[in-house]
Amino acid sequence: MNDWPEAWSDDNRGGRYGRGSGSAQPEGARVMRQVRRGQPAPPGQGAYGGVPQQPNYVDGSGHGGYDSGYNTGQVYGGAGGHGGGDGYGGGDGYGPQRPAPDWRRRIKWTAITLVTVLFVTTVATYFWADSKLNREVDLSKVIERPEKGEGTNYLIVGSDSREGLTSEDKKKLHTGSADGKRTDSVMILHTGDNGPTLISLPRDSNVEIPSFKGSESGKTYPGTGRQVKLNAAYAEDGPELLVRTVEFNTGLHIDHYVEIGFGGFANIVDAVGGVEIDIPQDIKDTKSGADLKKGKQTLNGEEALAFVRTRYALPGSDLDRTKNQQKFLSALANQVATPGTVLNPFKLYPTMGAGLDSLIVDEDMGLFDLADMFWSMKGVSGGDGTSMNMPISGSTGGNLLWDKEKVKQLVNQLNNDEKVTVKGN
């Protein structure tokens, strides 16, 4: 039987390559002459008249290229390669290797990213906080001012302003509903190289109203020697006249003014989660709403406001109240400046928001000045500074009289930024 395709004979096949053919031309070359390189075969037919065209294996998947018919013996894909690789250079030495991590480069860019984020956050926080300060007091309106001494003097005022309080808030905080605002506390904080000094000026202090320029009218009012209580100066023409009166009666130059109302004070205390303080005696006062027991405890905003406002339940009345105010403000500053507040954004931002929204300051007051004030008050509570009342020599008609000689000595020490040795009440 003829084992060649139809129409082929032994004469057609000639010598077979590899079987001793005498032909100089290998069979592959003769077969190649039969390959048509023209139009593709009709549908349903292979290149050889009905024989399906076989896939080639150039890329191991039967796609593209010409099949030479020779098997090189190379295995494509699968796990049968060298060392059980996955066919994609997986650690067997054949194919591309994954480069080792460049840890120096990673650490460098991580550090750069962190520093950049910290810088941007700090700058954004600064401008956000600076924009919230209420710079409403113009100290340029204060006339005939004493010369500036060494260090910095802050006039810190707690007002009885009910602005922003609802009827429910007023009832809860026992503030009443009086119109306008008056000073509930007045303090001078001196900062310098010899530690901070916090001095309370009792609101019932007897002072003289000097000549002054109206903060709204711009009109100059000559001094007539009027003797009034200190808080009357604020009630008459606001912060500018209060600063003018304090400077005139002390001879001390005031550099910055800071004021906070009832609601703002309570909000700050609540924002820091309350303030721990040791109360020396039981306090019960229906006017301020205080109902506190002796001992160490944490006061919330409502309790703290009642504590610093209480005067009628104290033996020394206003003088004892100023001591409580100093004690509490120092404790509050200490609480605000703790790492638990400063490093915790969930506590820091609410505290800053509550505090900055509530403060009224002079036009030249900056965030660094405010930070200096808080850190100095913290220093007072930490024992690095001095707290005292203005020296008192007696009273007249319910007004407290300052000891003029001691006040003069105290002011000289502050102006020269010396260690304060004067004792107050």
Side-chain angles (χ1 to χ4, degrees), residues 342-380:
V342 176
L343 301 180
N344 183 354
F346 297 102
K347 184 175 287 188
L348 174 63
Y349 285 99
T351 301
M352 291 179 64
L356 297 174
D357 276 342
S358 307
L359 295 178
I360 296 175
V361 300
D362 65 272
E363 293 181 346
D364 295 327
M365 186 78 162
L367 290 178
F368 291 108
D369 299 312
L370 199 60
D372 174 62
M373 185 188 79
F374 268 96
W375 280 102
S376 298
M377 291 179 68
K378 179 184 178 182
V380 172

mmCIF file of all heavy atoms in Angstrom, residues 342-380:
data_model
loop_
_atom_site.group_PDB
_atom_site.id
_atom_site.type_symbol
_atom_site.label_atom_id
_atom_site.label_comp_id
_atom_site.label_asym_id
_atom_site.label_seq_id
_atom_site.Cartn_x
_atom_site.Cartn_y
_atom_site.Cartn_z
ATOM 1 N N VAL A 342 -2.308 69.784 75.152
ATOM 2 C CA VAL A 342 -1.552 70.333 74.022
ATOM 3 C C VAL A 342 -1.339 69.303 72.925
ATOM 4 O O VAL A 342 -1.408 69.627 71.730
ATOM 5 C CB VAL A 342 -0.195 70.885 74.513
ATOM 6 C CG1 VAL A 342 0.646 71.366 73.338
ATOM 7 C CG2 VAL A 342 -0.408 72.026 75.504
ATOM 8 N N LEU A 343 -1.089 68.034 73.293
ATOM 9 C CA LEU A 343 -0.781 66.999 72.304
ATOM 10 C C LEU A 343 -1.994 66.195 71.866
ATOM 11 O O LEU A 343 -1.871 65.292 71.042
ATOM 12 C CB LEU A 343 0.278 66.044 72.875
ATOM 13 C CG LEU A 343 1.615 66.682 73.269
ATOM 14 C CD1 LEU A 343 2.571 65.632 73.816
ATOM 15 C CD2 LEU A 343 2.244 67.403 72.077
ATOM 16 N N ASN A 344 -3.144 66.529 72.405
ATOM 17 C CA ASN A 344 -4.371 65.824 72.033
ATOM 18 C C ASN A 344 -5.251 66.753 71.196
ATOM 19 O O ASN A 344 -5.892 67.645 71.742
ATOM 20 C CB ASN A 344 -5.127 65.373 73.283
ATOM 21 C CG ASN A 344 -6.376 64.568 72.949
ATOM 22 O OD1 ASN A 344 -6.765 64.428 71.786
ATOM 23 N ND2 ASN A 344 -7.032 64.044 73.968
ATOM 24 N N PRO A 345 -5.279 66.570 69.861
ATOM 25 C CA PRO A 345 -6.056 67.488 69.023
ATOM 26 C C PRO A 345 -7.540 67.504 69.341
ATOM 27 O O PRO A 345 -8.215 68.510 69.131
ATOM 28 C CB PRO A 345 -5.800 66.967 67.600
ATOM 29 C CG PRO A 345 -5.361 65.549 67.773
ATOM 30 C CD PRO A 345 -4.629 65.504 69.075
ATOM 31 N N PHE A 346 -8.062 66.379 69.890
ATOM 32 C CA PHE A 346 -9.485 66.326 70.220
ATOM 33 C C PHE A 346 -9.813 67.157 71.461
ATOM 34 O O PHE A 346 -10.969 67.452 71.725
ATOM 35 C CB PHE A 346 -9.922 64.870 70.441
ATOM 36 C CG PHE A 346 -9.769 64.020 69.216
ATOM 37 C CD1 PHE A 346 -8.705 63.146 69.088
ATOM 38 C CD2 PHE A 346 -10.677 64.118 68.171
ATOM 39 C CE1 PHE A 346 -8.554 62.372 67.948
ATOM 40 C CE2 PHE A 346 -10.537 63.346 67.030
ATOM 41 C CZ PHE A 346 -9.474 62.472 66.918
ATOM 42 N N LYS A 347 -8.778 67.532 72.212
ATOM 43 C CA LYS A 347 -8.977 68.408 73.362
ATOM 44 C C LYS A 347 -8.416 69.799 73.094
ATOM 45 O O LYS A 347 -8.971 70.806 73.532
ATOM 46 C CB LYS A 347 -8.324 67.803 74.606
ATOM 47 C CG LYS A 347 -8.568 68.609 75.881
ATOM 48 C CD LYS A 347 -8.009 67.909 77.117
ATOM 49 C CE LYS A 347 -8.849 66.718 77.510
ATOM 50 N NZ LYS A 347 -8.413 66.162 78.829
ATOM 51 N N LEU A 348 -7.290 69.850 72.363
ATOM 52 C CA LEU A 348 -6.634 71.136 72.107
ATOM 53 C C LEU A 348 -7.513 72.078 71.300
ATOM 54 O O LEU A 348 -7.713 73.244 71.678
ATOM 55 C CB LEU A 348 -5.309 70.905 71.364
ATOM 56 C CG LEU A 348 -4.575 72.170 70.912
ATOM 57 C CD1 LEU A 348 -4.167 73.002 72.117
ATOM 58 C CD2 LEU A 348 -3.356 71.818 70.064
ATOM 59 N N TYR A 349 -8.066 71.591 70.163
ATOM 60 C CA TYR A 349 -8.831 72.476 69.293
ATOM 61 C C TYR A 349 -10.135 72.968 69.934
ATOM 62 O O TYR A 349 -10.466 74.152 69.819
ATOM 63 C CB TYR A 349 -9.080 71.803 67.944
ATOM 64 C CG TYR A 349 -7.840 71.784 67.079
ATOM 65 C CD1 TYR A 349 -7.046 70.648 66.992
ATOM 66 C CD2 TYR A 349 -7.442 72.917 66.379
ATOM 67 C CE1 TYR A 349 -5.891 70.638 66.219
ATOM 68 C CE2 TYR A 349 -6.291 72.913 65.601
ATOM 69 C CZ TYR A 349 -5.518 71.765 65.527
ATOM 70 O OH TYR A 349 -4.384 71.766 64.767
ATOM 71 N N PRO A 350 -10.883 72.089 70.638
ATOM 72 C CA PRO A 350 -12.056 72.622 71.339
ATOM 73 C C PRO A 350 -11.693 73.651 72.403
ATOM 74 O O PRO A 350 -12.402 74.641 72.594
ATOM 75 C CB PRO A 350 -12.679 71.368 71.966
ATOM 76 C CG PRO A 350 -12.251 70.250 71.084
ATOM 77 C CD PRO A 350 -10.859 70.607 70.664
ATOM 78 N N THR A 351 -10.567 73.419 73.105
ATOM 79 C CA THR A 351 -10.136 74.364 74.130
ATOM 80 C C THR A 351 -9.750 75.693 73.510
ATOM 81 O O THR A 351 -10.145 76.770 73.991
ATOM 82 C CB THR A 351 -8.945 73.790 74.918
ATOM 83 O OG1 THR A 351 -9.329 72.553 75.531
ATOM 84 C CG2 THR A 351 -8.500 74.763 75.995
ATOM 85 N N MET A 352 -8.974 75.638 72.438
ATOM 86 C CA MET A 352 -8.576 76.868 71.757
ATOM 87 C C MET A 352 -9.792 77.592 71.193
ATOM 88 O O MET A 352 -9.905 78.819 71.286
ATOM 89 C CB MET A 352 -7.581 76.541 70.637
ATOM 90 C CG MET A 352 -6.227 76.076 71.121
ATOM 91 S SD MET A 352 -5.110 75.675 69.757
ATOM 92 C CE MET A 352 -4.915 77.273 68.981
ATOM 93 N N GLY A 353 -10.705 76.806 70.602
ATOM 94 C CA GLY A 353 -11.892 77.424 70.028
ATOM 95 C C GLY A 353 -12.737 78.117 71.077
ATOM 96 O O GLY A 353 -13.165 79.262 70.904
ATOM 97 N N ALA A 354 -12.955 77.428 72.207
ATOM 98 C CA ALA A 354 -13.766 78.014 73.282
ATOM 99 C C ALA A 354 -13.084 79.226 73.883
ATOM 100 O O ALA A 354 -13.722 80.252 74.161
ATOM 101 C CB ALA A 354 -14.029 76.965 74.362
ATOM 102 N N GLY A 355 -11.767 79.133 74.080
ATOM 103 C CA GLY A 355 -11.049 80.224 74.708
ATOM 104 C C GLY A 355 -10.911 81.453 73.821
ATOM 105 O O GLY A 355 -11.215 82.576 74.236
ATOM 106 N N LEU A 356 -10.485 81.235 72.584
ATOM 107 C CA LEU A 356 -10.241 82.361 71.692
ATOM 108 C C LEU A 356 -11.531 83.076 71.310
ATOM 109 O O LEU A 356 -11.551 84.295 71.148
ATOM 110 C CB LEU A 356 -9.505 81.878 70.438
ATOM 111 C CG LEU A 356 -8.108 81.297 70.699
ATOM 112 C CD1 LEU A 356 -7.521 80.726 69.418
ATOM 113 C CD2 LEU A 356 -7.185 82.347 71.277
ATOM 114 N N ASP A 357 -12.606 82.314 71.158
ATOM 115 C CA ASP A 357 -13.900 82.929 70.846
ATOM 116 C C ASP A 357 -14.390 83.814 71.989
ATOM 117 O O ASP A 357 -15.137 84.766 71.775
ATOM 118 C CB ASP A 357 -14.955 81.848 70.576
ATOM 119 C CG ASP A 357 -14.903 81.368 69.126
ATOM 120 O OD1 ASP A 357 -14.319 82.091 68.299
ATOM 121 O OD2 ASP A 357 -15.438 80.292 68.841
ATOM 122 N N SER A 358 -13.970 83.475 73.215
ATOM 123 C CA SER A 358 -14.495 84.148 74.395
ATOM 124 C C SER A 358 -13.667 85.357 74.816
ATOM 125 O O SER A 358 -14.135 86.176 75.602
ATOM 126 C CB SER A 358 -14.564 83.159 75.569
ATOM 127 O OG SER A 358 -15.264 81.996 75.207
ATOM 128 N N LEU A 359 -12.447 85.460 74.338
ATOM 129 C CA LEU A 359 -11.548 86.515 74.790
ATOM 130 C C LEU A 359 -11.725 87.800 73.988
ATOM 131 O O LEU A 359 -11.934 87.764 72.773
ATOM 132 C CB LEU A 359 -10.094 86.056 74.679
ATOM 133 C CG LEU A 359 -9.659 84.897 75.573
ATOM 134 C CD1 LEU A 359 -8.202 84.545 75.302
ATOM 135 C CD2 LEU A 359 -9.851 85.228 77.041
ATOM 136 N N ILE A 360 -11.615 88.910 74.678
ATOM 137 C CA ILE A 360 -11.529 90.227 74.049
ATOM 138 C C ILE A 360 -10.161 90.779 74.406
ATOM 139 O O ILE A 360 -9.804 90.847 75.593
ATOM 140 C CB ILE A 360 -12.641 91.172 74.543
ATOM 141 C CG1 ILE A 360 -14.019 90.640 74.126
ATOM 142 C CG2 ILE A 360 -12.433 92.578 74.006
ATOM 143 C CD1 ILE A 360 -15.179 91.452 74.678
ATOM 144 N N VAL A 361 -9.378 91.146 73.406
ATOM 145 C CA VAL A 361 -8.005 91.592 73.648
ATOM 146 C C VAL A 361 -7.743 92.906 72.934
ATOM 147 O O VAL A 361 -8.567 93.390 72.151
ATOM 148 C CB VAL A 361 -6.995 90.523 73.174
ATOM 149 C CG1 VAL A 361 -7.210 89.209 73.902
ATOM 150 C CG2 VAL A 361 -7.104 90.292 71.664
ATOM 151 N N ASP A 362 -6.572 93.479 73.210
ATOM 152 C CA ASP A 362 -6.202 94.725 72.529
ATOM 153 C C ASP A 362 -5.727 94.434 71.115
ATOM 154 O O ASP A 362 -5.424 93.281 70.758
ATOM 155 C CB ASP A 362 -5.118 95.466 73.317
ATOM 156 C CG ASP A 362 -3.811 94.699 73.375
ATOM 157 O OD1 ASP A 362 -3.654 93.864 74.306
ATOM 158 O OD2 ASP A 362 -2.953 94.899 72.503
ATOM 159 N N GLU A 363 -5.653 95.463 70.309
ATOM 160 C CA GLU A 363 -5.349 95.305 68.876
ATOM 161 C C GLU A 363 -3.949 94.782 68.609
ATOM 162 O O GLU A 363 -3.688 94.218 67.543
ATOM 163 C CB GLU A 363 -5.552 96.647 68.164
ATOM 164 C CG GLU A 363 -7.010 97.106 68.138
ATOM 165 C CD GLU A 363 -7.189 98.422 67.413
ATOM 166 O OE1 GLU A 363 -6.162 99.112 67.170
ATOM 167 O OE2 GLU A 363 -8.341 98.768 67.088
ATOM 168 N N ASP A 364 -3.025 94.959 69.552
ATOM 169 C CA ASP A 364 -1.645 94.511 69.347
ATOM 170 C C ASP A 364 -1.371 93.141 69.953
ATOM 171 O O ASP A 364 -0.242 92.654 69.900
ATOM 172 C CB ASP A 364 -0.672 95.532 69.955
ATOM 173 C CG ASP A 364 -0.724 96.874 69.237
ATOM 174 O OD1 ASP A 364 -0.958 96.876 68.013
ATOM 175 O OD2 ASP A 364 -0.543 97.911 69.906
ATOM 176 N N MET A 365 -2.383 92.539 70.522
ATOM 177 C CA MET A 365 -2.206 91.230 71.178
ATOM 178 C C MET A 365 -2.037 90.144 70.127
ATOM 179 O O MET A 365 -2.812 90.044 69.172
ATOM 180 C CB MET A 365 -3.430 90.920 72.038
ATOM 181 C CG MET A 365 -3.302 89.652 72.874
ATOM 182 S SD MET A 365 -2.293 89.952 74.320
ATOM 183 C CE MET A 365 -2.728 88.566 75.353
ATOM 184 N N GLY A 366 -1.008 89.329 70.285
ATOM 185 C CA GLY A 366 -0.774 88.215 69.374
ATOM 186 C C GLY A 366 -0.860 86.888 70.102
ATOM 187 O O GLY A 366 -0.938 86.829 71.336
ATOM 188 N N LEU A 367 -0.809 85.794 69.336
ATOM 189 C CA LEU A 367 -0.896 84.470 69.943
ATOM 190 C C LEU A 367 0.293 84.179 70.845
ATOM 191 O O LEU A 367 0.156 83.503 71.876
ATOM 192 C CB LEU A 367 -0.989 83.402 68.853
ATOM 193 C CG LEU A 367 -2.302 83.359 68.062
ATOM 194 C CD1 LEU A 367 -2.219 82.273 66.994
ATOM 195 C CD2 LEU A 367 -3.484 83.105 68.976
ATOM 196 N N PHE A 368 1.469 84.691 70.475
ATOM 197 C CA PHE A 368 2.637 84.460 71.316
ATOM 198 C C PHE A 368 2.514 85.211 72.640
ATOM 199 O O PHE A 368 2.973 84.726 73.683
ATOM 200 C CB PHE A 368 3.911 84.871 70.572
ATOM 201 C CG PHE A 368 4.247 83.961 69.420
ATOM 202 C CD1 PHE A 368 4.088 84.388 68.117
ATOM 203 C CD2 PHE A 368 4.710 82.669 69.637
ATOM 204 C CE1 PHE A 368 4.379 83.556 67.048
ATOM 205 C CE2 PHE A 368 5.010 81.820 68.590
ATOM 206 C CZ PHE A 368 4.842 82.268 67.288
ATOM 207 N N ASP A 369 1.906 86.393 72.607
ATOM 208 C CA ASP A 369 1.651 87.125 73.850
ATOM 209 C C ASP A 369 0.683 86.342 74.729
ATOM 210 O O ASP A 369 0.863 86.242 75.949
ATOM 211 C CB ASP A 369 1.068 88.511 73.546
ATOM 212 C CG ASP A 369 1.999 89.364 72.719
ATOM 213 O OD1 ASP A 369 3.189 89.442 73.060
ATOM 214 O OD2 ASP A 369 1.538 89.936 71.718
ATOM 215 N N LEU A 370 -0.335 85.784 74.100
ATOM 216 C CA LEU A 370 -1.330 85.004 74.837
ATOM 217 C C LEU A 370 -0.690 83.755 75.441
ATOM 218 O O LEU A 370 -0.973 83.383 76.596
ATOM 219 C CB LEU A 370 -2.473 84.620 73.903
ATOM 220 C CG LEU A 370 -3.799 84.206 74.540
ATOM 221 C CD1 LEU A 370 -4.364 85.339 75.386
ATOM 222 C CD2 LEU A 370 -4.792 83.786 73.470
ATOM 223 N N ALA A 371 0.181 83.113 74.676
ATOM 224 C CA ALA A 371 0.879 81.927 75.184
ATOM 225 C C ALA A 371 1.782 82.302 76.356
ATOM 226 O O ALA A 371 1.860 81.559 77.357
ATOM 227 C CB ALA A 371 1.696 81.285 74.067
ATOM 228 N N ASP A 372 2.463 83.436 76.244
ATOM 229 C CA ASP A 372 3.317 83.911 77.332
ATOM 230 C C ASP A 372 2.491 84.134 78.600
ATOM 231 O O ASP A 372 2.919 83.790 79.710
ATOM 232 C CB ASP A 372 4.012 85.206 76.914
ATOM 233 C CG ASP A 372 4.816 85.835 78.050
ATOM 234 O OD1 ASP A 372 5.768 85.199 78.528
ATOM 235 O OD2 ASP A 372 4.471 86.970 78.454
ATOM 236 N N MET A 373 1.310 84.703 78.441
ATOM 237 C CA MET A 373 0.441 84.958 79.582
ATOM 238 C C MET A 373 0.035 83.652 80.269
ATOM 239 O O MET A 373 0.105 83.522 81.493
ATOM 240 C CB MET A 373 -0.806 85.726 79.124
ATOM 241 C CG MET A 373 -1.727 86.150 80.256
ATOM 242 S SD MET A 373 -3.295 86.839 79.654
ATOM 243 C CE MET A 373 -4.173 85.317 79.264
ATOM 244 N N PHE A 374 -0.378 82.649 79.476
ATOM 245 C CA PHE A 374 -0.814 81.383 80.060
ATOM 246 C C PHE A 374 0.336 80.644 80.736
ATOM 247 O O PHE A 374 0.179 80.095 81.831
ATOM 248 C CB PHE A 374 -1.459 80.498 78.992
ATOM 249 C CG PHE A 374 -2.944 80.666 78.894
ATOM 250 C CD1 PHE A 374 -3.496 81.526 77.960
ATOM 251 C CD2 PHE A 374 -3.793 79.981 79.736
ATOM 252 C CE1 PHE A 374 -4.870 81.706 77.874
ATOM 253 C CE2 PHE A 374 -5.168 80.141 79.671
ATOM 254 C CZ PHE A 374 -5.704 81.006 78.727
ATOM 255 N N TRP A 375 1.507 80.629 80.104
ATOM 256 C CA TRP A 375 2.645 79.933 80.703
ATOM 257 C C TRP A 375 3.098 80.618 81.978
ATOM 258 O O TRP A 375 3.541 79.956 82.930
ATOM 259 C CB TRP A 375 3.796 79.851 79.703
ATOM 260 C CG TRP A 375 3.612 78.756 78.694
ATOM 261 C CD1 TRP A 375 3.207 78.882 77.406
ATOM 262 C CD2 TRP A 375 3.796 77.348 78.915
ATOM 263 N NE1 TRP A 375 3.119 77.649 76.801
ATOM 264 C CE2 TRP A 375 3.482 76.696 77.687
ATOM 265 C CE3 TRP A 375 4.200 76.592 80.007
ATOM 266 C CZ2 TRP A 375 3.562 75.314 77.547
ATOM 267 C CZ3 TRP A 375 4.275 75.211 79.862
ATOM 268 C CH2 TRP A 375 3.959 74.584 78.645
ATOM 269 N N SER A 376 2.993 81.941 82.016
ATOM 270 C CA SER A 376 3.368 82.675 83.220
ATOM 271 C C SER A 376 2.397 82.386 84.357
ATOM 272 O O SER A 376 2.801 82.235 85.519
ATOM 273 C CB SER A 376 3.419 84.184 82.933
ATOM 274 O OG SER A 376 4.400 84.477 81.961
ATOM 275 N N MET A 377 1.104 82.307 84.035
ATOM 276 C CA MET A 377 0.117 81.965 85.058
ATOM 277 C C MET A 377 0.333 80.542 85.570
ATOM 278 O O MET A 377 0.139 80.263 86.764
ATOM 279 C CB MET A 377 -1.291 82.133 84.498
ATOM 280 C CG MET A 377 -1.663 83.580 84.236
ATOM 281 S SD MET A 377 -3.321 83.784 83.556
ATOM 282 C CE MET A 377 -4.319 83.297 84.948
ATOM 283 N N LYS A 378 0.746 79.658 84.679
ATOM 284 C CA LYS A 378 1.080 78.298 85.111
ATOM 285 C C LYS A 378 2.272 78.331 86.061
ATOM 286 O O LYS A 378 2.320 77.579 87.048
ATOM 287 C CB LYS A 378 1.402 77.426 83.891
ATOM 288 C CG LYS A 378 1.796 75.999 84.264
ATOM 289 C CD LYS A 378 2.189 75.199 83.038
ATOM 290 C CE LYS A 378 2.629 73.791 83.459
ATOM 291 N NZ LYS A 378 3.062 72.980 82.304
ATOM 292 N N GLY A 379 3.231 79.223 85.775
ATOM 293 C CA GLY A 379 4.403 79.348 86.639
ATOM 294 C C GLY A 379 4.036 79.813 88.035
ATOM 295 O O GLY A 379 4.654 79.420 89.020
ATOM 296 N N VAL A 380 3.011 80.668 88.117
ATOM 297 C CA VAL A 380 2.557 81.134 89.432
ATOM 298 C C VAL A 380 2.059 79.962 90.257
ATOM 299 O O VAL A 380 2.394 79.806 91.438
ATOM 300 C CB VAL A 380 1.448 82.203 89.283
ATOM 301 C CG1 VAL A 380 0.839 82.534 90.643
ATOM 302 C CG2 VAL A 380 2.012 83.468 88.641
#
